[in-house]
């Protein structure tokens, strides 16, 4: 068994032991004595497995860049897995914005194709118009102020 599988098994066993040590199914350490459902146990197991996988995953955004911007924002965390999770979320956001901007570009090209201004040799170029339209869907406004136009 490789070390990653051993850690997942160990984390899952710890979760099960915490539940089985308390026969009423109460969450250990909580004063409310709330019962734990099977779905909560399963979600905690899958979270533990996911965090173990984050140890070996290297997102496209380097850890040093993530550390720099998190420090600039005042975020302090020593757990590399959490930092990589934030880098992964950032990567997903950038990917979604780029995909949306590409779709806006294709729509604009289709409109110019109908007007007979389209040539087949044109490359796809990211324009500020496409990018601002894509970011507007996510609530980010990057338009120039009126006095620069």
């Amino acid at each position: 068994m490789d070390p990653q599988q051993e850690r997942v098994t160990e984390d899952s066993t710890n979760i099960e032991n915490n539940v089985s040590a308390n026969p009423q199914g109460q969450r250990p350490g909580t004063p409310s004595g709330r019962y734990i459902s099977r779905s909560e146990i399963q979600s905690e197991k899958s979270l533990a497995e996911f965090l173990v996988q984050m140890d070996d995953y290297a997102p496209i955004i380097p850890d040093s860049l993530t550390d720099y911007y998190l420090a600039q924002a005042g975020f302090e965390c020593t757990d590399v897995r959490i930092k990589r999770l934030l880098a992964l979320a950032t990567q997903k956001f950038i990917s979604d914005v780029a995909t949306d901007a590409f779709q806006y570009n294709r729509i604009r090209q289709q409109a110019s194709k109908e007007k007979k201004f389209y040539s087949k040799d044109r490359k796809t170029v990211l324009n500020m118009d496409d990018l601002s339209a894509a970011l507007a869907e996510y609530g980010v406004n990057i338009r120039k102020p009126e006095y620069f136009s």
Side-chain angles (χ1 to χ4, degrees):
M1 184 180 291
D2 69 357
Q4 181 179 359
Q5 289 176 338
E6 288 175 10
R7 281 184 277 167
V8 170
T9 306
E10 182 179 313
D11 288 343
S12 301
T13 305
N14 289 340
I15 293 170
E16 289 174 358
N17 288 342
N18 286 339
V19 173
S20 63
N22 193 346
Q24 287 84 21
Q26 298 173 351
R27 187 178 290 273
T30 59
S32 64
R34 189 172 70 87
Y35 287 100
I36 299 174
S37 68
R38 290 255 181 232
S39 63
E40 287 177 319
I41 294 170
Q42 187 61 32
S43 67
E44 286 184 19
K45 281 183 183 180
S46 60
L47 177 62
E49 291 171 0
F50 179 72
L51 287 175
V52 168
Q53 289 176 352
M54 290 304 293
D55 281 335
D56 299 328
Y57 179 74
I60 292 175
I61 301 171
D63 289 338
S64 59
L65 185 68
T66 304
D67 290 340
Y68 173 77
Y69 281 107
L70 289 177
Q72 290 292 320
F75 183 81
E76 294 180 16
C77 181
T78 58
D79 193 357
V80 177
R81 300 175 299 182
I82 301 299
K83 292 178 184 179
R84 287 183 180 169
L85 180 63
L86 291 171
L88 183 64
T90 305
Q91 178 180 331
K92 170 83 167 91
F93 176 73
I94 292 171
S95 173
D96 289 347
V97 169
T99 302
D100 291 345
F102 180 71
Q103 293 301 322
Y104 280 111
N105 186 297
R106 289 186 63 197
I107 291 169
R108 194 169 37 82
Q109 284 182 353
Q110 289 293 336
S112 67
K113 189 177 189 180
E114 293 172 2
K115 295 179 184 179
K116 309 286 186 209
F117 294 125
Y118 180 75
S119 69
K120 294 181 181 179
D121 298 337
R122 292 181 65 176
K123 294 182 180 179
T124 302
V125 178
L126 179 64
N127 291 338
M128 282 300 292
D129 295 334
D130 300 329
L131 185 60
S132 63
L135 284 170
E137 291 182 12
Y138 297 97
V140 179
N141 183 9
I142 60 167
R143 292 188 194 134
K144 289 183 181 178
E146 294 297 323
Y147 53 86
F148 283 116
S149 299

